[in-house]
Amino acid sequence: MTGRSAPRHPISRRQALGLLGLGAAAVTAGATGWATLGVSDTTRTASVLPSGEPLGLPPELASRQGQLAVDLTAAPGASLAGRPASAWGYNGSSPGPTLRLRPGDELAVRLRNGLDQPTNLHTHGLRVSPEGNSDNPFIHIAPGETFDYRIAIPDSHPPGTFWYHPHAHGYVADQLLAGLAGALIVDDAPEPAVAAERVLLITDTTLDTGGPAATDPATRMVGRQGELLLLNGQHQPVIPAASGDLQRWRLINATTSRTLNLHLDAHPLTRIAFDGITLPTASGVDTVQLAPGNRADVLVRPDRPGTFPLTASTEPRRAMGMMGGPAVGGETEVLATLTTGGPARAPSALPTFPPGPAPDAGATTGARRLTFTMGMGGGMGPGGTGSGGQGMSFGFDGRAYDPLRTDQTVALGAVEEWTVTNPTPMAHPFHLHVWPFEVLADSAGTPTTGTSQDVVLVPAGGWVRLRIPFTVLPGRSVYHCHIFDHEDAGMMGTIAVS
């Protein structure tokens, strides 16, 4: 374990992203030595990971008497959709178990690294200490080693939807794309009753080693995405419901690169929470947009029998604008299907949920400006830390990530206004650990929620203005682009609050 990034080791063919052991007849060897699925094998892929099965929920582990003590093993060989696979997962499944806690609890995780590369654990969105053996992104757990995390959830922590995933710099995109992710729920007082609460964790993967896209620098520049978009590790599952029954969906975008627009046919999605914070007012929307790392809690109440697709449209990404760089995304896919039975029912009033804490209203004490850096030319950082390969550069303010350098020093108790600018030709999701922020405005005129969040999409060629209270939890952590190929290549900075 060290604060310095360990040397990268190429992912082996046997360990690669979601390889399902299809056999020689299902794959062809590419010139690069990676296994790739040909176009003619697309149907075969669907037969290996079938569509239309009932939605399954990850196993759930809940705290008792103020603690959730859990052993997690990150290793290859995890199942997908209940089928044996060589995906990577926690405790043999992808997604890993859902961890459910209450404010004031301690999360005690013994994490064993069964991979052949460093890993660690980040509890995305939790307002917890970033130091010691808490949510410390600078910890690297070597292959074969274990590490004991002790993460204290403050008594004042808001209830909400969060998640966990690896954060060992240089390895994050590979490990997430391979399947290492799980949901984390903080519960508080009893909430209004719903017929069903469903954790819906969205990932994407490729059922082979990833082919040339796994190493192609141009593809990494826009951020890789898997061939299949999965929900709880399943391909296009069926979500059952009875007409009139109210369901709460906890939606988590755990993809490596995709900004998703979610739409349920013939039904509004009533958004009640975003990034773990219950909104002051519920709102029925046609589409919910989730950048990588974002979460949204929505209520769904079907009022008639039928079959209704839940679709996900991926926002297109082009790294080089008019210079002819590769374009990725732009497709619309069926993520799941809501199937309802029983007689049609007249709509009834939805329950109300206690709103989350309002953003800190203290006076602003300082201002900063950060700028995403991305392009051709390289030379941004030592030892390749800030290079995506073949002369590409990633960072903030012209500098690539260096774990030994502190980029921002903030006094504990400060309330700052940050303007994050993005002169690049593609949108970047900005994520700050530990200290959530209020979005005041952006260059696209996006309506604000008036609540705190921890990921915001910064428009291409645009900016966002954030208000960040650094009033609790001293320590040193990071901010970064949540397209993990970018973060791994150096688009990350460090911040110390003391």
Side-chain angles (χ1 to χ4, degrees):
M1 292 169 288
T2 175
R4 185 185 296 274
S5 297
R8 282 198 67 140
H9 302 287
I11 189 170
S12 72
R13 175 172 176 170
R14 181 174 181 81
Q15 299 159 332
L17 311 179
L19 178 63
L20 290 184
L22 304 181
V27 298
T28 58
T32 62
W34 297 86
T36 60
L37 284 176
V39 174
S40 61
D41 292 305
T42 302
T43 305
R44 188 186 303 272
T45 298
S47 69
V48 173
L49 197 62
S51 308
E53 294 194 332
L55 176 75
L57 297 179
E60 183 170 298
L61 305 173
S63 64
R64 293 186 178 184
Q65 297 181 334
Q67 187 186 63
L68 174 55
V70 57
D71 290 348
L72 289 181
T73 297
S79 63
L80 285 174
R83 286 165 169 74
S86 295
W88 292 7
Y90 294 106
N91 295 357
S93 68
S94 177
T98 296
L99 309 180
R100 190 175 290 267
L101 301 111
R102 298 176 65 86
D105 283 347
E106 178 189 67
L107 175 60
V109 177
R110 170 161 287 185
L111 179 63
R112 186 180 75 83
N113 184 2
L115 311 173
D116 74 341
Q117 56 185 236
T119 193
N120 62 12
L121 191 72
H122 171 45
T123 54
H124 181 119
L126 288 192
R127 305 176 182 190
V128 296
S129 171
E131 298 193 311
N133 60 350
S134 187
D135 190 3
N136 185 340
F138 305 108
I139 292 169
H140 276 198
I141 305 168
E145 291 191 356
T146 62
F147 185 82
D148 289 323
Y149 284 93
R150 294 291 185 272
I151 302 173
I153 314 297
D155 292 334
S156 59
H157 200 290
T161 302
F162 307 92
W163 63 297
Y164 62 92
H165 61 82
H167 212 289
H169 178 64
Y171 304 89
V172 186
D174 282 350
Q175 293 181 12
L176 184 61
L177 195 59
L180 285 170
L184 194 159
I185 310 299
V186 178
D187 275 336
D188 199 354
E191 296 182 335
V194 295
E197 177 186 292
R198 305 193 187 278
V199 172
L200 302 180
L201 189 140
I202 307 166
T203 58
D204 59 350
T205 196
T206 296
L207 301 184
D208 66 352
T209 60
T215 54
D216 176 28
T219 304
R220 286 179 181 267
M221 195 164 193
V222 294
R224 286 171 293 167
Q225 62 183 54
E227 293 177 356
L228 290 179
L229 196 61
L230 305 178
L231 189 65
N232 291 354
Q234 295 175 264
H235 185 238
Q236 298 178 349
V238 171
I239 304 174
S243 295
D245 279 354
L246 182 66
Q247 297 197 1
R248 178 178 185 157
W249 293 359
R250 295 181 182 267
L251 296 160
I252 303 170
N253 184 354
T255 67
T256 57
S257 306
R258 298 179 187 232
T259 293
L260 299 171
N261 295 301
L262 304 176
H263 169 79
L264 180 61
D265 186 50
H267 291 83
L269 295 170
T270 301
R271 195 170 68 159
I272 60 171
F274 189 73
D275 273 6
I277 302 298
T278 304
L279 301 172
T281 305
S283 59
V285 296
D286 183 67
T287 301
V288 171
Q289 184 177 83
L290 297 178
N294 276 147
R295 293 87 63 210
D297 289 23
V298 300
L299 299 179
V300 175
R301 174 176 276 163
D303 57 6
R304 59 190 181 279
T307 300
F308 309 99
L310 173 66
T311 58
S313 299
T314 299
E315 288 283 320
R317 308 185 302 282
R318 182 183 292 276
M320 298 307 294
M322 301 302 293
M323 297 174 62
V328 178
E331 61 276 340
T332 297
E333 307 168 58
V334 174
L335 183 61
T337 302
L338 176 68
T339 60
T340 63
R345 298 189 190 181
S348 57
L350 294 174
T352 58
F353 291 77
D360 190 290
T364 301
T365 58
R368 296 172 197 252
R369 188 178 185 91
L370 277 62
T371 301
F372 286 101
T373 306
M374 169 182 168
M376 306 301 293
M380 281 186 55
T385 302
S387 173
Q390 297 187 2
M392 294 186 298
S393 58
F394 297 82
F396 280 94
D397 300 323
R399 300 194 297 182
Y401 171 69
D402 181 347
L404 303 181
R405 182 187 69 227
T406 297
D407 297 298
Q408 312 293 335
T409 301
V410 181
L412 182 65
V415 178
E416 296 197 347
E417 188 174 293
W418 287 19
T419 300
V420 183
T421 62
N422 176 18
T424 80
M426 64 179 293
H428 294 280
F430 177 83
H431 174 48
L432 173 63
H433 290 207
V434 182
W435 302 280
F437 48 77
E438 179 186 2
V439 178
L440 301 178
D442 70 12
S443 56
T446 308
T448 58
T449 64
T451 59
S452 299
Q453 61 194 78
D454 52 72
V455 176
V456 62
L457 195 63
V458 186
W463 51 267
V464 299
R465 193 165 70 251
L466 313 175
R467 177 183 168 86
I468 312 173
F470 297 99
T471 51
V472 294
L473 298 170
R476 186 169 181 266
S477 196
V478 295
Y479 54 88
H480 59 86
C481 175
H482 219 281
I483 294 175
F484 278 130
D485 278 314
H486 296 174
E487 184 262 291
D488 282 337
M491 195 172 273
M492 182 158 68
T494 59
I495 175 172
V497 177
S498 61

